[in-house]
Amino acid sequence: MSKAAKKRVRGQVDTNDAVRLGDQLKVEKQRQKFKGAATINEKRRLLDEMAFYPPHDKRKETPEYHKVHVDLTVTKDLPCLVCGVKHSTLDDPKQNLYGSKQMETHHHVVEWALANAIDVAKFNKTLRPNLAHRHGDNPLYARDMSEEEVKAWVDHSADNLWVLCDVHHRAKFFGIHEITFPIWGPMDLLKPDFEQYARQQMQEAAAEKKAGKGKKPKSGKGKKPKSKKSRRKKT
């Protein structure tokens, strides 16, 4: 396994989101595929969210989590739920359409940071029966789980982990941590030409905004008038 691959397996934090987003927006023009639509129906909203987390230790990858993470992303080579890229196809531009750098696992039912706030009785009353229905072959769900079992389940159960690429996990405008779920959820079901068209619209809007900021005032305009003091003749 290459050094780059080992880094992907460990799930190290990638801080190049801004650069990656710029790469994602570089697509060919696809407007002709949507001749009947002058533009997409764009909705902009500002989400004002207040989240409370209980005190917890600094996130540290447990051996149990690492084992499950590797099993899902490398051994089973599961694809990203949204774009379909796999650990084995990260280096293939034709299959890695979003320029993903690594495969990650997302705690999708209960976030890791909320583990200490989970009420075990509520977990056993509402979530466990649903897990038992979906995973009848797992004896853990056939009985009430203890507090330690619930915390372990949150940390590294495959039933609490989704395989996602880093883009659809954390990137701005694309990641499940960055946009609302009603928008993120059906992204894997969108028609390719609609997705390409939407990307083009975003690219053009960004280019127009950048061009507007870079305009210089015409000669004679935008200059501050000289003060009366500066126009006085010296005696």
Side-chain angles (χ1 to χ4, degrees):
M1 187 181 294
S2 65
K3 291 183 178 179
K6 288 181 179 178
K7 286 185 178 181
R8 291 169 187 157
V9 171
R10 297 300 297 177
Q12 294 182 353
V13 175
D14 184 357
T15 58
N16 297 319
D17 283 350
V19 176
R20 187 183 309 109
L21 179 59
D23 293 338
Q24 292 159 9
L25 298 178
K26 295 177 182 177
V27 295
E28 295 182 2
K29 291 184 178 180
Q30 297 290 338
R31 193 187 298 270
Q32 61 274 19
K33 292 186 177 181
F34 275 78
K35 292 180 180 179
T39 184
I40 55 177
N41 182 12
E42 178 186 290
K43 281 192 175 182
R44 294 197 176 197
R45 49 179 168 252
L46 179 64
L47 176 63
D48 186 8
E49 183 177 59
M50 186 178 292
F52 297 92
Y53 294 93
H56 57 78
D57 296 332
K58 187 176 180 181
R59 178 70 190 275
K60 185 178 181 181
E61 186 181 87
T62 63
E64 294 82 5
Y65 169 83
H66 176 69
K67 181 179 179 180
V68 176
H69 173 78
V70 173
D71 180 58
L72 296 175
T73 62
V74 181
T75 306
K76 290 185 172 66
D77 200 24
L78 295 179
C80 170
L81 280 172
V82 177
C83 67
V85 70
K86 302 178 182 180
H87 176 77
S88 61
T89 61
L90 283 169
D91 296 326
D92 184 352
K94 292 183 179 180
Q95 298 191 60
N96 187 0
L97 302 178
Y98 290 83
S100 306
K101 305 298 182 183
Q102 62 186 19
M103 301 304 297
E104 301 180 350
T105 36
H106 168 70
H107 294 82
H108 77 100
V109 180
V110 180
E111 190 175 0
W112 182 87
L114 283 173
N116 291 339
I118 298 302
D119 186 304
V120 178
K122 291 180 180 179
F123 182 98
N124 283 312
K125 181 181 179 181
T126 59
L127 182 57
R128 185 190 58 75
N130 282 279
L131 292 169
H133 174 70
R134 293 186 179 186
H135 311 281
D137 58 340
N138 191 333
L140 181 63
Y141 303 143
R143 56 171 177 78
D144 283 350
M145 295 165 60
S146 67
E147 182 175 359
E148 290 304 314
E149 287 174 328
V150 170
K151 288 183 177 180
W153 183 90
V154 171
D155 176 67
H156 57 262
S157 171
D159 297 333
N160 190 37
L161 295 174
W162 273 350
V163 174
L164 301 174
C165 68
D166 55 332
V167 171
H168 291 104
H169 190 196
R170 298 177 288 106
K172 187 175 179 63
F173 298 133
F174 292 90
I176 193 170
H177 284 286
E178 297 293 331
I179 59 179
T180 57
F181 192 81
I183 301 302
W184 184 91
M187 282 201 297
D188 60 327
L189 303 176
L190 298 177
K191 296 178 179 179
D193 50 1
F194 176 80
E195 186 175 354
Q196 290 164 353
Y197 179 74
R199 281 204 215 166
Q200 181 193 349
Q201 294 294 310
M202 292 170 63
Q203 185 182 22
E204 290 179 356
E208 289 176 4
K209 185 177 181 180
K210 185 177 181 181
K213 287 184 178 180
K215 287 183 179 179
K216 294 182 180 180
K218 294 181 179 180
S219 178
K221 293 183 179 181
K223 293 183 179 180
K224 292 182 179 180
K226 293 181 180 180
S227 65
K228 291 183 180 180
K229 185 177 180 180
S230 64
R231 290 200 295 266
R232 287 176 184 170
K233 293 183 179 180
K234 292 183 179 180
T235 56

